[in-house]
Amino acid sequence: MKKKTIITVLLAIVAVIVVKTGVSYIYDKIQIMNAPTMQEIVEANPWTVPADWFKTDTITIKGRIEDYDAERFGFSSMACYYNDVFEKNNTVLVLDIADDGTFCKKFQASYPVWNSFIADESKVRFNAIHFFARPGETIDITVQKGMFGRYECVYNNGSSRDVERLLRTSRKLEDVMRPLWKFEGTFDEANELADEVWKRAMAKLQKVARSEDYTPMEVQLALADIEARFGMDYIGCIERIADGLVKHEQRDSVWHTEILDSVEWKKYLDCETYVPMRRIDYDNPLLFASSSYYFLQNRIQYAKPVSEGKYERLLNEEGGMEVTFEKHSKKLANELAALRKFMGTDKYNLLAQMCAYKEMTYEFDTWREDGYWIQNMLADTTLTEAKKKENLENWPTLTKMFPLYLDAFQNPYIRQRAEQFRDRRLSQKDLATPLAEVPAAELIRSLVAKFPGRFLVIDFWSMSCGPCRSAIQTSKDLRAKIAKRDDVKLIFIAGERTAEGSEAYHQYVSEWLAGEETVCLANADFNRLQDLFQFNGIPHYETITPDCRRVAENFAVSGYHNFENELQRAMEKLK
């Protein structure tokens, strides 16, 4: 082909691309301009949320993969990263698949769950079992080849069958938040983008709902999921911008922080900057079903204006807060006020109540262990006798603090769960419990046998986890002291693609964990330990007694920041 002809063809191709891109851009803008509002979508798809939406019961996911062969499929288990916002710990649910392709997993839930079991190493064009289930349901699913030879889920009963169109096509809505994921710019520019992303999400939901013939229930579930993901990704976008406004530098062994743009930083602290978040209906119970709800609630609870507002006018000159009933009750009032301001409402909506609920679960054991802390306060030689007496009279005990939080829970179910949490904690007798008789526990038993007479503190981590590596690196000197003890042993268990571990893993262990007890597991086996110990976030720490019992969460070592005190308390409690 002559050079001139080649150039002509290339120019024609470029012209076609330009035209198509331009048409796509124009179409996209038209879609945004004509996007329906959330209220219009709700009114066009009326559906009443069941009265028993919140309910504590088990969910069972069972079924069979037709023509299953573990070697051909490339996996023998699937994992679901499950968060129940009423539980202090979240977990990974492992779905083991038998040789004949059958599977069954039962777990407890507090509200309907929309989630997926995922296979990371699939060799076939199938890697996910999506499901939607209400507490008390058993969902039966058959995985079989469809019309085009691809494996797909057939929902035989229950809520999954009611929303099967949504389960099969919801991925068409997933990428709509992508522009927020890696945005770089100012807060004002982020808000302009958020406005565009929201309108595009509404337009796309309307389009997909019509083309896939969604029922009103499916539309409203999809809408709630979009709200949860929008809030989660928007705050994530804001946090990335804020990270770029701060410079951390170590000088003379001291870390110094410099704000690079005080004007932008002021916006970061201002609730009015977060106006896009006010599109979300925080009182919508359907939000709970979204797998993004946990992250939405967590990011709002720790959003800068909320966390700063919680301690407004409560911190002393050293940046600490006096341990008094007055200060702690004011902290709760401040947090609820900051949440209302952040969300642009005067109501104690469901999400605000959930933030208070999580705060209650975090603080409960501190209130419960008031005798332990009072003893430390009385031994504090920096306090006068008069100050000690004053502190005793105004100490934030459980009997004083819990009723304040209970009053904030206007939703009957949230209030009920808070009372159940209290009763469960107060009736707790076993400070350590035997490990379940499952294969995953055998590794822990072998480690206990390897280090007889010692408590084990297990650090679950991963190379992909920045906070994990930070905790390991900053605890180097402390771990050197711990290594000299004969009553405790640190164990580091990491999840990698294979049990052999990557080159990067081995380099890191050589540099930061040389001489320490390290275990590398394939991700599937790491997931089973997460299922055993009921966690999905890392770093995560477990304390195991010399007789191979798991120390209860509220008495276990929770990290390196207060390691020796927490370990000593656990040992004293378990004498």
Side-chain angles (χ1 to χ4, degrees):
M1 187 179 292
K2 293 182 179 181
K3 184 177 180 181
K4 184 176 180 180
T5 304
I6 294 175
I7 293 173
T8 302
V9 171
L10 289 174
L11 288 174
I13 293 173
V14 170
V16 170
I17 293 173
V18 169
V19 169
K20 285 189 174 181
T21 302
V23 170
S24 176
Y25 175 81
I26 293 171
Y27 177 76
D28 189 48
K29 289 298 180 182
I30 292 174
Q31 289 288 96
I32 293 173
M33 288 174 58
N34 296 325
T37 66
M38 184 171 74
Q39 185 63 29
E40 288 171 342
I41 291 177
V42 171
E43 290 176 356
N45 297 274
W47 180 70
T48 303
V49 179
D52 62 345
W53 185 259
F54 294 107
K55 176 184 175 183
T56 305
D57 206 336
T58 58
I59 287 174
T60 301
I61 305 298
K62 59 174 288 188
R64 179 173 177 267
I65 303 176
E66 292 187 353
D67 305 319
Y68 173 75
D69 176 83
E71 180 63 29
R72 183 167 64 87
F73 274 66
F75 60 88
S76 59
S77 66
M78 306 176 83
C80 173
Y81 294 85
Y82 175 56
N83 301 289
D84 185 328
V85 293
F86 287 99
E87 298 299 324
K88 195 169 182 181
N89 277 339
N90 302 297
T91 189
V92 172
L93 304 172
V94 175
L95 183 72
D96 287 311
I97 303 168
D99 291 341
D100 64 355
T102 57
F103 54 83
C104 183
K105 185 66 179 181
K106 179 182 288 189
F107 59 96
Q108 185 164 294
S110 307
Y111 43 81
V113 176
W114 176 8
N115 214 315
S116 305
F117 285 96
I118 305 293
D120 289 333
E121 302 293 331
S122 177
K123 294 179 182 178
V124 296
R125 297 178 67 186
F126 169 78
N127 71 338
I129 296 177
H130 308 295
F131 67 90
F132 176 72
R134 296 179 62 186
E137 281 193 302
T138 295
I139 303 296
D140 185 77
I141 303 170
T142 302
V143 180
Q144 61 186 34
K145 283 187 176 180
M147 184 183 302
F148 301 103
R150 296 186 62 173
Y151 285 94
E152 59 184 34
C153 293
V154 175
Y155 302 100
N156 301 311
N157 70 321
S159 295
S160 287
R161 186 169 184 175
D162 293 338
V163 298
E164 60 183 341
R165 291 159 296 274
L166 177 62
L167 294 177
R168 288 173 179 161
T169 61
S170 62
R171 293 191 65 182
K172 295 181 178 181
L173 299 167
E174 288 179 358
D175 288 346
V176 73
M177 302 299 165
R178 186 181 296 275
L180 292 170
W181 297 350
K182 297 183 179 180
F183 174 77
E184 295 182 4
T186 66
F187 293 124
D188 289 342
E189 290 168 343
N191 285 355
E192 290 178 7
L193 175 63
D195 182 62
E196 185 175 296
V197 166
W198 177 265
K199 290 177 180 177
R200 184 180 290 116
M202 295 299 101
K204 193 161 188 179
L205 172 58
Q206 184 182 64
K207 179 182 178 182
V208 173
R210 287 173 176 173
S211 65
E212 301 297 337
D213 197 25
Y214 282 0
T215 65
M217 177 183 177
E218 289 172 315
V219 171
Q220 293 209 29
L221 278 172
L223 178 59
D225 186 57
I226 286 174
E227 291 178 74
R229 288 191 290 115
F230 174 79
M232 175 184 72
D233 290 334
Y234 170 77
I235 294 182
C237 174
I238 293 297
E239 291 299 327
R240 284 194 303 276
I241 295 173
D243 288 343
L245 299 176
V246 181
K247 179 182 179 182
H248 301 286
E249 185 178 33
Q250 189 175 21
R251 299 194 299 270
D252 300 325
S253 300
V254 177
W255 281 99
H256 298 268
T257 300
E258 178 186 358
I259 305 299
L260 302 178
D261 189 330
S262 59
V263 175
E264 282 294 286
W265 186 260
K266 188 176 180 180
K267 292 180 181 178
Y268 176 50
L269 305 178
D270 188 355
C271 285
E272 294 306 312
T273 298
Y274 300 77
V275 168
M277 293 294 294
R278 296 175 185 176
R279 289 186 168 91
I280 300 170
D281 178 5
Y282 296 105
D283 250 339
N284 184 2
L286 297 182
L287 288 174
F288 284 75
S290 171
S291 59
S292 299
Y293 182 78
Y294 168 83
F295 303 100
L296 170 69
Q297 180 265 315
N298 185 267
R299 287 186 174 180
I300 288 179
Q301 183 168 3
Y302 295 104
K304 197 66 172 178
V306 175
S307 57
E308 292 274 317
K310 181 164 62 174
Y311 293 100
E312 186 178 1
R313 294 187 295 277
L314 294 179
L315 301 181
N316 55 34
E317 293 180 357
E318 290 76 32
M321 189 175 76
E322 293 181 17
V323 184
T324 67
F325 171 71
E326 180 184 2
K327 292 284 188 180
H328 280 258
S329 59
K330 180 62 176 175
K331 184 182 74 169
L332 171 61
N334 279 355
E335 180 179 24
L336 292 173
L339 284 165
R340 292 198 305 271
K341 186 176 180 181
F342 183 86
M343 293 185 278
T345 179
D346 293 328
K347 295 178 61 179
Y348 287 137
N349 55 48
L350 283 175
L351 195 137
Q353 292 177 60
M354 281 310 307
C355 288
Y357 177 91
K358 299 301 284 189
E359 184 81 8
M360 180 273 295
T361 63
Y362 297 146
E363 298 283 359
F364 188 92
D365 291 319
T366 302
W367 307 330
R368 183 190 184 195
E369 292 294 301
D370 53 6
Y372 178 82
W373 301 111
I374 288 174
Q375 184 179 0
N376 286 347
M377 185 271 294
L378 291 176
D380 189 345
T381 57
T382 65
L383 299 176
T384 65
E385 290 303 314
K387 186 64 177 176
K388 291 178 182 179
K389 182 179 179 181
E390 179 187 340
N391 285 351
L392 282 174
E393 293 174 350
N394 197 28
W395 199 261
T397 61
L398 177 61
T399 55
K400 292 178 183 177
M401 293 301 302
F402 186 78
L404 291 180
Y405 281 81
L406 205 60
D407 287 344
F409 305 141
Q410 298 175 358
N411 179 273
Y413 185 75
I414 297 177
R415 186 183 181 91
Q416 177 190 24
R417 289 301 299 262
E419 291 173 331
Q420 290 173 347
F421 180 91
R422 175 200 59 195
D423 296 344
R424 188 168 65 246
R425 276 286 201 258
L426 292 179
S427 63
Q428 182 181 15
K429 295 179 180 180
D430 295 327
L431 305 184
T433 54
L435 297 181
E437 294 295 332
V438 295
E442 292 307 311
L443 170 62
I444 309 302
R445 293 191 177 95
S446 69
L447 290 168
V448 168
K450 186 175 181 179
F451 301 102
R454 298 195 192 189
F455 278 79
L456 302 185
V457 176
I458 304 175
D459 181 336
F460 291 93
W461 69 290
S462 168
M463 281 297 293
S464 62
C465 171
C468 299
R469 298 196 309 274
S470 175
I472 289 172
Q473 291 163 208
T474 56
S475 64
K476 186 175 182 179
D477 293 341
L478 171 63
R479 298 200 321 273
K481 290 173 58 179
I482 295 170
K484 297 176 182 179
R485 298 177 58 157
D486 61 3
D487 58 351
V488 63
K489 182 66 179 178
L490 283 172
I491 310 289
F492 297 85
I493 299 181
E496 284 273 291
R497 185 173 178 274
T498 66
E500 289 73 29
S502 63
E503 182 179 346
Y505 166 80
H506 289 290
Q507 289 177 350
Y508 187 86
V509 168
S510 297
E511 180 177 1
W512 291 103
L513 294 171
E516 304 201 51
E517 189 69 19
T518 60
V519 178
C520 184
L521 298 176
N523 286 328
D525 291 324
F526 191 83
N527 287 342
R528 288 187 170 88
L529 285 176
Q530 290 180 292
D531 198 348
L532 172 66
F533 289 115
Q534 295 289 286
F535 74 93
N536 68 13
I538 51 176
H540 177 79
Y541 306 91
E542 289 287 340
T543 306
I544 308 297
T545 66
D547 58 349
C548 202
R549 291 179 297 148
R550 180 193 185 190
V551 177
E553 174 195 21
N554 47 319
F555 295 106
V557 173
S558 60
Y560 300 109
H561 57 286
N562 196 26
F563 184 96
E564 292 182 330
N565 287 338
E566 290 180 343
L567 181 63
Q568 184 63 33
R569 184 170 67 129
M571 289 178 169
E572 290 176 359
K573 288 284 185 182
L574 291 163
K575 280 182 180 179

